Amino acid sequence: MNTYSIKELLSSKHILQEVIVNGWVKTFRSNRFIALNDGSTLHNIQCVVDFENFDEGLLKKISTGAALKIKGTLVESQGKGQNVEIQVTSIEVHGEADPETYPIQPKKHTLEFLREKAHLRIRTNTFSAVMRMRSALSFAVHQYFQQNGFYHVHTPIVTGSDAEGAGEMFRVSTLDPKNPPLNEDGSINYQEDFFGKETNLTVSGQLEGETYAMGLGKIYTFGPTFRAENSNTSRHLAEFWMIEPEMAFYDLDANMDLAEDFIKGVLSYILENCKDDLEFLEKRLLDEEKMKPAIERSEMPLIEKLKFITENNFKRVSYTEAIDILKNSKPNKKKKFKYPINEWGADLQSEHERFLVEKHFKCPVILFDYPAKIKAFYMRLNEDGKTVRAMDILFPGIGEIVGGSQREERLDVLKEKMKALDIDEKELWWYLELRKYGSAVHSGFGLGFERLVLFATGMSNIRDVIPFPRTPQNAEF
Ligand code: 4AD
Ligand code: MG
């Protein structure tokens, strides 16, 4: 007798075979029908129990959440709703789930409640669908790059540099916080720390990624990223996963082409390979939308929205054009923006990004050539001396999903910029040497993986698309 996953059984063409299946009880009705799920698919398999043949004590142990091993015969289903079911011959209880206390009962739970039960929420349909999609997206990311000549590089988690220059880093230290070694001026002496210098968790693998692109040609990183920004929003995590491709000999246009093709590629993959989960999440979203006031409802069902992205070109707009549009927009004139747009140079807030994408262009937008002042030091300076070859991709309902740029490859210009921003050349001596030896035009971008999962699943809070979210004041589990 062989053990099968429920996914295999539900698509099996061989009925009347003896099978073993393991899983968790979703429901147990009328002492007769067990709906069993093992995570292999959204769907449950119905297991039919002839209760006269089973010990009453055993049947009492079967309730929602219990883990079972079931042996039986796969037969054509007599009832509606499924093609096959299992006529049960034996049941072994791996572990019971006390119905008095087991929190995941077969009823609707709020996402907020489930966040507090993050260790059990994966047993709900919503979370299993989201996490299977997350896994498929992760596979699609690797597949896309591997099929397009990119090498996967593992950049370090612990680093001494602040790539984004935002200073929002988690310190890594083994010093005794109560009694750290001090310098004569009273500051902490990090030379005595584990690495002999100040270190932190990485905010981006880009700078190390650049070194590998300047040898392997095209690389990508896909790793955990940490930001100690105190942003308690539905789009920010303190620990998230970022995908960062970096390509030698790519200018900004080639970079934008790649980013657009990449996003379309991974979304096409899930449209093709996650149909059941997508249909379930689409329906879930439609039910949820019904509860919302009409103006807050999204215009397209989930699958249509994903197809719209894969089938249409992203709109490319310069920062300068975007500022003109925003300046003259209705919400700006009517003072509806929290941050009014008065002049060129203003940093765009998510209200502005969402206006451009959702109201004005009604499609994904790639904004490029931002003012140097509001972007990181490594972006290539344009001829005008005031803008840099930056690009952000803005998505409906999400805002910024990608941030990238062509990199400054000219040693003298880069040194100049670092000086202006007070970045110590000694800290980044190796980064500068890339510009000294065989420097070349190169570009890359970073895509926040959870923002992609958020978009692809139609969920609305980033805490619900990562298994164990880390946010300010929250690192449970
Ligand atoms: O725009 P960011 O800060 O860009 C970089 O880190 C560059 N080094 C990338 C590169 O050029 N290689 O971050 C890139 C993306 C954002 O567009 C967003 O999708 C995501 O990372 N992101 C976050 N996602 C979740 N929580 C946060 N706190 C995030 N911060 C950025
Ligand atoms: Mg950014």
Side-chain angles (χ1 to χ4, degrees):
M1 222 187 256
N2 287 325
T3 304
Y4 294 90
S5 72
I6 290 173
K7 188 178 178 181
E8 288 170 321
L9 292 180
L10 290 179
S11 59
S12 173
K13 301 218 160 41
H14 309 281
I15 51 167
L16 293 178
Q17 59 176 336
E18 300 289 298
V19 298
I20 300 173
V21 62
N22 294 290
W24 293 270
V25 176
K26 282 275 179 171
T27 56
F28 184 29
R29 290 186 292 121
S30 318
N31 237 5
R32 187 164 168 78
F33 301 107
I34 301 171
L36 198 72
N37 190 280
D38 65 356
S40 62
T41 158
L42 183 72
H43 304 292
N44 307 323
I45 193 152
Q46 171 153 285
C47 305
V48 185
V49 183
D50 217 343
F51 53 84
E52 281 117 34
N53 300 338
F54 288 86
D55 175 52
E56 210 176 305
L58 175 78
L59 295 181
K60 277 222 172 90
K61 293 181 179 170
I62 301 173
S63 61
T64 298
L68 305 182
K69 176 179 184 175
I70 282 182
K71 287 184 192 168
T73 316
L74 191 69
V75 297
E76 246 173 90
S77 177
Q78 309 297 306
K80 278 203 188 120
Q82 62 274 321
N83 296 326
V84 291
E85 61 191 21
I86 295 174
Q87 208 68 57
V88 179
T89 51
S90 100
I91 302 173
E92 207 178 289
V93 180
H94 289 294
E96 295 171 58
D98 181 356
E100 297 294 316
T101 55
Y102 182 61
I104 313 293
Q105 290 302 324
K107 60 167 197 174
K108 205 170 158 47
H109 297 290
T110 66
L111 295 172
E112 289 78 10
F113 170 80
L114 291 171
R115 255 169 243 153
E116 285 165 17
K117 310 284 176 211
H119 58 308
L120 295 170
R121 68 179 179 171
I122 192 57
R123 299 190 196 174
T124 64
N125 287 340
T126 298
F127 282 92
S128 70
V130 166
M131 294 306 163
R132 274 189 299 271
M133 296 246 317
R134 185 181 164 109
S135 167
L137 279 165
S138 166
F139 177 76
V141 166
H142 286 290
Q143 179 174 267
Y144 179 89
F145 286 123
Q146 297 286 337
Q147 286 179 347
N148 285 285
F150 286 71
Y151 297 104
H152 184 201
V153 175
H154 295 105
T155 47
I157 309 290
V158 176
T159 86
S161 58
D162 174 8
E164 292 308 299
E168 291 160 330
M169 301 176 298
F170 291 100
R171 175 169 294 141
V172 174
S173 172
T174 53
L175 294 179
D176 178 359
K178 278 203 219 107
N179 190 20
L182 299 179
N183 295 312
E184 272 174 13
D185 63 1
S187 61
I188 294 173
N189 180 3
Y190 286 105
Q191 280 176 2
E192 287 190 28
D193 204 346
F194 189 89
F195 295 107
K197 61 185 282 191
E198 271 196 87
T199 50
N200 49 270
L201 295 177
T202 185
V203 295
S204 160
Q206 177 196 323
L207 303 192
E208 290 91 350
E210 279 184 54
T211 69
Y212 267 58
M214 299 307 279
L216 286 178
K218 298 198 286 187
I219 65 98
Y220 69 105
T221 71
F222 187 171
T225 310
F226 307 88
R227 298 208 179 164
E229 48 193 340
N230 204 352
S231 316
N232 236 323
T233 78
S234 57
R235 305 278 176 270
H236 288 88
L237 290 164
E239 177 183 285
F240 63 100
W241 290 68
M242 183 152 56
I243 296 143
E244 295 182 279
E246 190 72 32
M247 301 75 65
F249 316 116
Y250 271 49
D251 63 9
L252 189 70
D253 288 317
N255 197 23
M256 292 195 274
D257 291 344
L258 174 76
E260 181 169 343
D261 189 61
F262 163 61
I263 294 178
K264 288 177 172 171
V266 294
L267 293 181
S268 301
Y269 179 88
I270 54 157
L271 279 167
E272 201 46 48
N273 292 281
C274 302
K275 290 199 174 104
D276 285 359
D277 290 324
L278 270 174
E279 276 166 23
F280 171 80
L281 290 168
E282 171 168 289
K283 186 167 172 302
R284 179 192 166 276
L285 201 59
L286 288 172
D287 290 345
E288 202 157 83
E289 299 267 298
K290 280 186 205 144
M291 324 276 280
K292 288 189 194 163
I295 46 160
E296 280 176 34
R297 287 180 205 160
S298 81
E299 285 157 34
M300 282 183 210
L302 181 60
I303 295 171
E304 203 182 316
K305 190 178 78 174
L306 298 181
K307 283 195 180 139
F308 178 84
I309 303 284
T310 61
E311 288 165 7
N312 289 285
N313 290 336
F314 297 4
K315 180 84 187 161
R316 300 185 189 188
V317 187
S318 75
Y319 168 89
T320 304
E321 288 171 79
I323 284 291
D324 279 342
I325 293 167
L326 288 166
K327 241 203 260 171
N328 297 315
S329 69
K330 252 196 214 159
N332 200 49
K333 288 184 168 161
K334 290 191 171 167
K335 308 221 176 332
K336 288 274 161 65
F337 285 142
K338 193 168 161 217
Y339 299 89
I341 297 285
N342 298 317
E343 59 191 32
W344 192 93
D347 203 353
L348 299 185
Q349 306 295 326
S350 88
E351 57 179 350
H352 309 128
E353 296 176 341
R354 293 185 70 165
F355 172 83
L356 290 170
V357 173
E358 289 159 28
K359 297 281 177 324
H360 191 83
F361 291 111
K362 298 188 191 310
C363 71
V365 172
I366 312 185
L367 284 189
F368 61 91
D369 284 351
Y370 281 74
K373 279 213 176 86
I374 58 173
K375 289 291 183 187
F377 75 96
Y378 51 70
M379 298 188 181
R380 193 180 199 280
L381 193 64
N382 278 315
E383 301 303 305
D384 62 14
K386 58 177 195 173
T387 60
V388 286
R389 299 248 76 190
M391 64 120 169
D392 276 5
I393 302 186
L394 313 178
F395 256 46
I398 304 286
E400 180 191 333
I401 194 162
V402 162
S405 67
Q406 186 174 322
R407 318 307 188 189
E408 185 54 77
E409 85 284 13
R410 298 163 296 185
L411 184 62
D412 50 336
V413 184
L414 186 59
K415 277 187 169 174
E416 197 81 357
K417 281 188 89 179
M418 286 170 63
K419 207 163 124 196
L421 290 167
D422 218 12
I423 301 171
D424 192 356
E425 276 186 26
K426 279 194 219 104
E427 285 290 318
L428 288 176
W429 63 273
W430 50 273
Y431 190 72
L432 289 166
E433 280 201 355
L434 289 184
R435 277 76 185 163
K436 205 165 142 191
Y437 305 121
S439 188
V441 168
H442 64 291
S443 299
F445 63 84
L447 172 127
F449 185 56
E450 284 73 21
R451 293 196 185 171
L452 177 70
V453 182
L454 204 53
F455 184 77
T457 56
M459 300 295 283
S460 49
N461 194 312
I462 202 163
R463 293 168 176 81
D464 299 328
V465 299
I466 187 165
F468 299 104
R470 268 79 180 98
T471 51
Q473 297 297 310
N474 172 36
E476 191 66 47
F477 307 104

